[in-house]
């Protein structure tokens, strides 16, 4: 794997991932992406030569709708997704409200919200656009993702203990032994 094209091609070949992306696309949510472990795990599994996908804790569906930031709407979207693809670990979050949880200024959109996540290889998301083409968003690029490096973002540096806790709790270095972490 060398670049964004390779990541997109890897995901395009996975029928389950394409079904997930299709389910998200059909909702027609504003600024909607599937992010974090959905992309990271697929790439790291591939780079480790795993033949079985590492199970996901959740499928992070991200969208941005400042006009309605209620958790009730997120739950209704999750319910629709559970109906469309039962048994999947959906987690829906409107990024227009997540700045409150993180103590940040309001975010301008979903990709801007991703800039405030803690580690670079998680700051990736994918979607099917209106033309049914795959698009990748990675505010810090994909070099760390492809080189199996876990590095703190500026938010991870600012929230050092939260970054360290995630590294310890997520077991990334054990699950993908070729990865390496950069500690602030």
């Amino acid at each position: 794997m060398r670049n964004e094209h390779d990541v997109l091609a890897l995901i395009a070949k996975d029928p389950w991932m394409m079904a997930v992306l299709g389910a998200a696309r059909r909702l027609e949510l504003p600024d909607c992406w599937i992010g974090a472990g959905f992309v990271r795990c697929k790439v790291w599994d591939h780079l480790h030569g795993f033949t079985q996908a590492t199970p996901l804790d959740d499928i992070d569906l991200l969208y941005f709708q400042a006009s309605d930031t209620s958790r009730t709407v997120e739950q209704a979207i999750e319910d629709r997704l559970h109906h469309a693809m039962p048994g999947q670990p959906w987690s829906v979050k409107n990024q227009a409200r997540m700045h409150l949880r993180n103590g940040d200024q309001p975010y301008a959109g979903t990709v801007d919200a991703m800039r405030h996540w803690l580690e670079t290889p998680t700051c990736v998301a994918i979607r099917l656009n209106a033309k049914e083409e795959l698009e990748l968003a990675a505010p810090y690029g994909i070099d760390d993702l492809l080189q199996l490096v876990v590095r703190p973002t500026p938010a991870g540096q600012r929230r050092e203990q939260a970054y360290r806790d995630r590294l310890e709790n997520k077991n990334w270095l054990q699950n993908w032994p070729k990865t390496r972490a950069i500690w602030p």
Side-chain angles (χ1 to χ4, degrees):
M1 298 211 97
R2 297 178 316 255
N3 54 39
E4 180 178 323
H5 179 267
D6 293 342
V7 172
L8 295 174
L10 178 69
I11 291 170
K13 288 188 248 178
D14 186 314
W16 175 79
M17 292 184 90
M18 293 303 292
V20 166
L21 292 164
R25 172 73 190 111
R26 285 187 290 282
L27 294 174
E28 297 183 347
L29 296 169
D31 199 10
C32 182
W33 299 83
I34 303 284
F38 185 77
V39 177
R40 185 196 61 239
C41 291
K42 180 68 173 180
V43 170
W44 285 0
D45 284 353
H46 176 78
L47 292 172
H48 277 78
F50 296 169
T51 56
Q52 293 292 320
T54 300
L56 296 175
D57 293 332
D58 52 26
I59 300 170
D60 292 300
L61 184 139
L62 320 164
Y63 72 104
F64 192 90
Q65 186 171 27
S67 63
D68 189 343
T69 59
S70 70
R71 179 67 184 121
T72 306
V73 172
E74 292 174 353
Q75 187 58 57
I77 294 167
E78 276 186 29
D79 292 345
R80 289 175 62 193
L81 289 165
H82 283 296
H83 179 74
M85 290 186 73
Q88 302 304 317
W90 295 102
S91 174
V92 175
K93 298 287 187 283
N94 183 352
Q95 300 302 296
R97 73 174 183 84
M98 297 309 291
H99 69 284
L100 298 170
R101 183 182 82 175
N102 296 329
D104 295 326
Q105 293 297 311
Y107 304 142
T110 300
V111 176
D112 182 45
M114 291 168 51
R115 285 182 178 84
H116 295 85
W117 292 358
L118 299 179
E119 62 281 332
T120 56
T122 299
C123 296
V124 293
I126 193 161
R127 70 177 173 191
L128 281 173
N129 65 22
K131 296 178 183 178
E132 298 293 318
E133 301 165 333
L134 288 174
E135 289 182 14
L136 188 75
Y140 295 104
I142 61 170
D143 288 346
D144 285 348
L145 174 69
L146 297 178
Q147 294 170 14
L148 302 163
V149 173
V150 181
R151 178 189 319 272
T153 64
Q157 292 171 2
R158 220 175 32 256
R159 297 173 45 213
E160 180 180 338
Q161 191 57 51
Y163 171 80
R164 289 177 173 280
D165 290 347
R166 275 183 60 84
L167 277 175
E168 290 176 18
N169 295 331
K170 292 290 186 175
N171 293 318
W172 292 326
L173 304 178
Q174 293 79 20
N175 292 341
W176 295 281
K178 294 179 186 177
T179 57
R180 63 185 177 88
I182 295 177
W183 299 90

